[in-house]
Amino acid sequence: MEDSGSITEMVLSNGDAYVGSFKGVFPHGKGKYTWSDGSVYDGCWEEGKMSGEGRFVWPSGASYEGDFSGGYLHGFGVFSGSDGSVYRGVWRMNTQHGIGRKQYQNSDIYDGCWKEGVREGSGRYAWSNGNMYIGSWKDGKMCGRGVMKWFDGDLFDGCWLNGLRHGSGCYRFADGSYYFGVWTKGLKDGHGMFYPAGSKHRFLRKCSDRSDEKRKRRLSHISSSNSESVKPKVKRSFSERISSSLLRSSGSISQRTTSLGEDIALGDSSRDIMTCDSSSVLSQSSLDDRTEFLETGSVAYEREYTQGVLIKERIVNISKLSRKSKQRCKFHAKEVKRKSCVDFLEGRKSYYLMLNLQLGIRYSVGKITPVPIREVRQSDFGDQARIKMYFPRKGSQFTPSHHSLDFYWKDYCPMVFRYLRELFKLDAADYMMSICGDDGLRELSSPGKSGSLFYLSRDDRFVIKTLKKSELKALLKMLPDYYKHVKEHDNTLITKVFGVHRISLKRGKKVSCQVRFVVMGNMFCTELRIHRRYDLKGSSHGRLTKKDRVDETTTLKDLDLTYEFHMDKLLREALFKQLSLDCRFLESQNIIDYSLLLGLHFRAPENLMSLLEPPDSLHKVETDPDHVEGGISQGELSIPPRGLLLVTHEPSSVNVTPGPHIRGSTLRAMSVGDQEVDLLLPGTGRLRVQLGVNMPAQANQKVMQDEAASVQVELFEVYDVVLYLGIIDILQEYNMKKKLEHTYKSLKFDPMSISAIEPKIYSKRFLSFLEKVFPVEP
């Protein structure tokens, strides 16, 4: 058929029909194609493919009017589904992709970003009952930062994950009360602060104003984005795929697009029963008689939750809290004033050190990894076994240019630490990416009195700590025996060390400062949330934390621990067997001041599981499954009968990848017949049990009614817990300085109460204390 601009009608043998212009044998220009199944396209064609503006109607009644390209819905268009839903926005290759607005059949409306047919990016979802969410989305679910407002005035501003509140946030009740805290999978989990309606803390007014302003800003941003995209210009690219026949091209279009009318809408939602929270009722009734002396509006409640169950509550006087805050502000103002006088180098020292660490580790690991495998030699240990390199700012033949100061890099015992990383089953590429990736490192405040700088890798797997010169010498001195110890004992609880380095910053012709670092595994890079942390030495002098300085991230001390942990007999035997071996090693190295770092993950108590809050405040139970078409649905609010269970180990059912603190074998438990075990957490997951990792126990606490602490209520005596533990701070030798400290403090305090004592006595006291913390079952 010749090129023709005239209208031609053609009927194919399969019953399809076309009326319009042709170019050769292909439709080209304006034309209408009717398929035998009843589908109709009326619009522009380009060499046999729908391209340009047009309208497509399916037999189901669904229709699309807008831009096409290469046979696809591509550009801006309006899709009307057979169920009454309407999408108006940008398309890419037959799917919603870009900014668009969809009104669902139940009158819910979503305005925002789409990616490959699902909600992803920033967006606003308005339910037909008046609820509204404005914030981030991922894979069609609320994920990231966002604000949810319910029709009755309740509001949540915080973090979300997979459609549930997850992370820190603020819940504002319609009556004006607030709860600031942390959520895990939709449930309150950890420490938080509840401010009743009428609280007079100035922070609350600022928070309320900020929240409203943010919501208005997000709303206006999304609205303006949508208004600007009413008719975006789409560049129509010429399809590279040339159809061999009109039939093949047209048939594929009809099949590809029939599923578009089956899109899923979010179900109706409603707020949870937070205002009727049974835990709030319990705490209020138990504390009424002790709050009469406090001025109205000056009371707040410091609370602690475990998987939605309130386990502890303490009354806080806001007026005193405000005065303390003002004092801290004055203190910080003075600190800022002093720091402003510090020179430029000191002000950016931490940034330089982080950058230099990444450059140096990338260089060292890249240099040592290609070296052929061989046995570790005696010459690989000591101060002389090192890699040295100069990193000028402008770069050199061996080093890249950078934005820090010129510096010298020294990597101690690189061959030994290469073997240690392999022994710990750590891949060199993963190690470099974790520490030297684009995300960089995070600086942490020092949790102790050492004054050391702490950095954390972005994936939380590694902790980097600055060392004193004496600590570096102690580490290099013990390294041959440390290497031998960790090689012989897979289950060692002693800190994993992955590298030791030194950075010398150069300013002018002189070295301005030297900083030494050790890279260690982060013991609290765990699959479960750590609710409390303890640093246990076995001493008592100075081992109590001031209560006004305690928050969820505080590492508590010996005298703060009020729990006993009861474990399976075989688990306890394995624990103390390894503790004894590790203490014997440290004693042989003349080391003291080490401690057991203990992390606790609490499970909701069985005896009051009826207080469990619904998993999230967005859900409404629907009896008709056809009414809720997908998106956000409630599911069952099932309450597991037990907080945790030990079951027979199944390698295929758990994650067996070595972690920064994980290396040892799977442990055995007597409760399952002396077999290797996994930890089953109903509603959460299944975890491999190893020494110091995912160890189940029962925490027993004596509830003491102390007059001084009468405003605090401990609601439970027994908890199911998961333990994470390891031995840290292993670089303090019992040297002359510590001997003098022991002599001096022994004149004022009980010699057995102080930390500085002989290594043999320290080890014995340490184990004796832990035997009380983890008692033998009667």
Side-chain angles (χ1 to χ4, degrees):
M1 185 180 291
E2 298 296 328
D3 293 356
S4 174
S6 60
I7 303 298
T8 304
E9 183 174 354
M10 182 176 69
V11 179
L12 302 179
S13 59
N14 63 357
D16 292 357
Y18 174 76
V19 179
S21 303
F22 282 86
K23 182 179 182 181
V25 296
F26 299 111
H28 188 85
K30 293 278 188 180
K32 179 178 180 180
Y33 194 102
T34 304
W35 281 265
S36 59
D37 65 358
S39 301
V40 178
Y41 171 75
D42 189 357
C44 297
W45 295 79
E46 190 171 308
E47 296 187 349
K49 296 180 181 179
M50 297 177 287
S51 293
E53 294 185 354
R55 174 181 169 83
F56 198 105
V57 180
W58 285 267
S60 64
S63 65
Y64 170 83
E65 185 170 359
D67 295 328
F68 292 78
S69 180
Y72 294 98
L73 281 63
H74 192 90
F76 183 85
V78 179
F79 180 87
S80 300
S82 57
D83 60 357
S85 62
V86 177
Y87 171 80
R88 179 182 179 86
V90 181
W91 295 75
R92 188 178 75 174
M93 304 287 285
N94 284 353
T95 60
Q96 300 108 315
H97 192 92
I99 296 176
R101 172 188 175 93
K102 181 166 184 176
Q103 180 170 337
Y104 296 86
Q105 63 182 54
N106 61 356
S107 299
D108 290 358
I109 296 175
Y110 173 77
D111 269 304
C113 298
W114 298 76
K115 183 178 180 181
E116 297 179 356
V118 296
R119 298 173 291 272
E120 184 149 337
S122 298
R124 175 187 61 187
Y125 195 102
W127 282 262
S128 58
N129 65 355
N131 296 343
M132 181 181 293
Y133 171 82
I134 303 173
S136 298
W137 297 77
K138 187 173 182 179
D139 294 329
K141 298 179 180 178
M142 295 172 287
C143 192
R145 185 68 185 270
V147 179
M148 178 78 186
K149 185 176 182 181
W150 286 267
F151 65 90
D152 61 357
D154 281 11
L155 180 144
F156 175 78
D157 185 350
C159 299
W160 301 78
L161 181 67
N162 294 327
L164 301 173
R165 294 185 298 250
H166 190 88
S168 59
C170 167
Y171 196 103
R172 188 184 73 187
F173 296 86
D175 65 358
S177 55
Y178 285 82
Y179 179 78
F180 295 86
V182 180
W183 281 258
T184 300
K185 295 182 179 179
L187 297 174
K188 294 173 186 172
D189 199 20
H191 288 266
M193 188 72 78
F194 176 75
Y195 296 90
S199 296
K200 297 179 180 178
H201 200 288
R202 57 191 176 87
F203 172 72
L204 296 178
R205 291 192 297 271
K206 290 183 180 180
C207 180
S208 177
D209 295 342
R210 251 197 326 262
S211 181
D212 292 337
E213 189 176 331
K214 279 183 187 175
R215 197 166 63 257
K216 290 176 182 177
R217 192 161 57 242
R218 285 194 183 117
L219 186 62
S220 61
H221 171 72
I222 294 170
S223 299
S224 62
S225 299
N226 287 336
S227 63
E228 291 170 4
S229 62
V230 172
K231 183 67 177 178
K233 295 182 179 179
V234 180
K235 184 178 180 180
R236 304 187 184 94
S237 59
F238 183 79
S239 174
E240 297 178 356
R241 298 178 298 123
I242 304 298
S243 174
S244 58
S245 69
L246 177 61
L247 178 61
R248 184 185 305 170
S249 172
S250 59
S252 62
I253 291 299
S254 180
Q255 293 169 6
R256 274 197 302 268
T257 52
T258 50
S259 64
L260 291 171
E262 301 171 4
D263 200 354
I264 298 175
L266 277 78
D268 190 17
S269 68
S270 64
R271 54 178 289 278
D272 61 5
I273 317 171
M274 294 190 67
T275 51
C276 303
D277 184 359
S278 54
S279 59
S280 299
V281 175
L282 169 68
S283 61
Q284 188 60 46
S285 61
S286 63
L287 294 171
D288 276 344
D289 58 335
R290 278 173 282 171
T291 57
E292 293 177 0
F293 67 93
L294 292 171
E295 178 191 352
T296 303
S298 65
V299 177
Y301 299 92
E302 186 178 334
R303 292 177 173 175
E304 185 174 355
Y305 287 86
T306 298
Q307 290 92 52
V309 175
L310 180 64
I311 62 173
K312 183 182 289 187
E313 185 170 82
R314 182 170 69 95
I315 296 177
V316 177
N317 192 322
I318 299 178
S319 58
K320 292 182 179 179
L321 196 64
S322 299
R323 286 196 293 271
K324 289 180 181 179
S325 299
K326 290 178 182 178
Q327 290 172 0
R328 282 198 294 267
C329 289
K330 291 179 181 178
F331 173 77
H332 287 310
K334 292 178 182 177
E335 286 291 315
V336 171
K337 190 173 182 179
R338 283 202 297 270
K339 285 187 176 182
S340 64
C341 301
V342 179
D343 62 20
F344 177 75
L345 172 62
E346 287 298 320
R348 303 202 63 186
K349 182 178 176 180
S350 179
Y351 167 76
Y352 290 144
L353 292 177
M354 283 192 287
L355 182 58
N356 296 348
L357 261 173
Q358 292 178 305
L359 291 167
I361 289 175
R362 188 183 292 118
Y363 174 82
S364 293
V365 176
K367 186 177 178 67
I368 201 69
T369 301
V371 175
I373 298 288
R374 61 169 175 79
E375 289 293 323
V376 175
R377 305 167 184 162
Q378 190 61 37
S379 59
D380 293 325
F381 296 94
D383 184 54
Q384 298 304 311
R386 63 188 184 271
I387 292 176
K388 297 179 70 175
M389 180 54 63
Y390 175 55
F391 284 76
R393 187 170 186 175
K394 295 181 180 180
S396 67
Q397 181 181 354
F398 305 103
T399 63
S401 59
H402 57 86
H403 300 289
S404 179
L405 300 177
D406 299 344
F407 71 97
Y408 292 94
W409 171 260
K410 182 185 281 190
D411 185 17
Y412 293 95
C413 307
M415 187 60 72
V416 176
F417 285 109
R418 174 200 172 171
Y419 278 92
L420 282 173
R421 289 192 291 269
E422 291 179 356
L423 192 65
F424 297 146
K425 298 179 174 59
L426 179 61
D427 181 73
D430 289 342
Y431 181 62
M432 278 199 297
M433 285 302 298
S434 179
I435 296 176
C436 309
D438 294 335
D439 289 336
L441 303 170
R442 288 181 285 146
E443 185 178 355
L444 304 176
S445 58
S446 172
K449 299 178 181 179
S450 64
S452 299
L453 287 174
F454 286 82
Y455 298 100
L456 191 65
S457 61
R458 288 291 178 181
D459 58 7
D460 293 339
R461 295 172 65 194
F462 303 103
V463 176
I464 302 174
K465 176 188 175 183
T466 58
L467 296 176
K468 299 175 184 176
K469 192 173 183 179
S470 60
E471 292 176 324
L472 174 62
K473 287 183 177 180
L475 178 54
L476 295 178
K477 180 181 175 182
M478 76 158 62
L479 190 58
D481 292 327
Y482 173 86
Y483 177 80
K484 181 180 178 181
H485 182 79
V486 299
K487 190 175 182 181
E488 292 177 352
H489 303 288
D490 282 356
N491 288 329
T492 182
L493 294 168
I494 294 177
T495 307
K496 285 183 180 180
V497 181
F498 300 107
V500 180
H501 318 287
R502 189 185 78 184
I503 292 172
S504 302
L505 290 176
K506 184 180 179 184
R507 200 176 189 196
K509 295 182 179 181
K510 296 182 179 181
V511 173
S512 60
C513 69
Q514 292 184 338
V515 186
R516 302 155 194 88
F517 295 92
V518 59
V519 183
M520 303 174 291
N522 179 15
M523 214 186 76
F524 291 154
C525 180
T526 62
E527 296 176 87
L528 300 177
R529 180 180 182 80
I530 302 296
H531 294 113
R532 286 189 204 166
R533 300 164 170 82
Y534 292 90
D535 181 277
L536 307 176
K537 292 181 181 290
S539 58
S540 57
H541 176 66
R543 303 297 294 165
L544 183 66
T545 308
K546 293 183 178 180
K547 299 304 179 186
D548 60 343
R549 296 183 181 179
V550 174
D551 58 28
E552 190 173 5
T553 61
T554 302
T555 302
L556 303 171
K557 300 176 183 178
D558 302 61
L559 298 181
D560 300 309
L561 183 64
T562 57
Y563 300 102
E564 289 180 349
F565 302 99
H566 297 269
M567 308 172 69
D568 180 277
K569 183 178 179 181
L570 291 183
L571 294 183
R572 186 187 183 279
E573 288 178 359
L575 174 63
F576 276 90
K577 179 182 177 181
Q578 190 59 54
L579 281 171
S580 299
L581 290 169
D582 291 340
C583 287
R584 193 181 310 158
F585 164 74
L586 295 172
E587 183 184 326
S588 70
Q589 302 299 311
N590 202 36
I591 298 297
I592 62 169
D593 267 355
Y594 51 88
S595 55
L596 185 81
L597 187 60
L598 174 64
L600 307 181
H601 169 82
F602 289 92
R603 303 302 294 175
E606 297 177 43
N607 56 336
L608 281 177
M609 286 295 282
S610 60
L611 297 182
L612 184 68
E613 291 181 355
D616 196 75
S617 58
L618 298 181
H619 311 313
K620 179 179 178 181
V621 179
E622 296 287 352
T623 55
D624 181 8
D626 294 329
H627 182 69
V628 180
E629 298 189 320
I632 304 173
S633 61
Q634 167 146 355
E636 298 181 2
L637 297 181
S638 59
I639 298 174
R642 292 190 58 186
L644 48 84
L645 293 169
L646 282 176
V647 295
T648 305
H649 175 57
E650 293 183 7
S652 61
S653 301
V654 294
N655 181 14
V656 295
T657 305
H661 184 61
I662 306 172
R663 185 170 74 101
S665 57
T666 304
L667 296 185
R668 297 176 180 272
M670 180 172 286
S671 59
V672 291
D674 195 14
Q675 298 185 67
E676 292 185 341
V677 292
D678 295 334
L679 179 61
L680 185 63
L681 303 172
T684 300
R686 183 172 180 148
L687 306 173
R688 184 184 180 193
V689 180
Q690 294 169 275
L691 202 63
V693 180
N694 301 324
M695 296 186 70
Q698 187 178 74
N700 292 359
Q701 179 174 18
K702 294 180 180 179
V703 180
M704 296 176 291
Q705 293 299 332
D706 185 354
E707 291 183 6
S710 60
V711 293
Q712 178 168 310
V713 175
E714 185 76 39
L715 299 179
F716 307 109
E717 298 180 21
V718 181
Y719 302 89
D720 283 330
V721 294
V722 183
L723 306 179
Y724 298 88
L725 47 91
I727 297 175
I728 62 169
D729 295 338
I730 60 170
L731 300 179
Q732 179 57 62
E733 290 184 302
Y734 190 59
N735 50 27
M736 183 57 67
K737 181 180 178 182
K738 285 295 178 180
K739 290 177 182 178
L740 291 173
E741 180 185 337
H742 172 75
T743 303
Y744 173 74
K745 287 187 176 180
S746 295
L747 298 174
K748 302 175 64 177
F749 309 103
D750 179 1
M752 289 302 294
S753 71
I754 60 178
S755 181
I757 56 175
E758 293 180 7
K760 188 172 183 178
I761 301 175
Y762 189 98
S763 172
K764 183 178 180 180
R765 183 185 65 184
F766 181 72
L767 289 172
S768 297
F769 174 76
L770 293 181
E771 285 174 350
K772 296 176 184 177
V773 175
F774 303 96
V776 179
E777 288 292 328

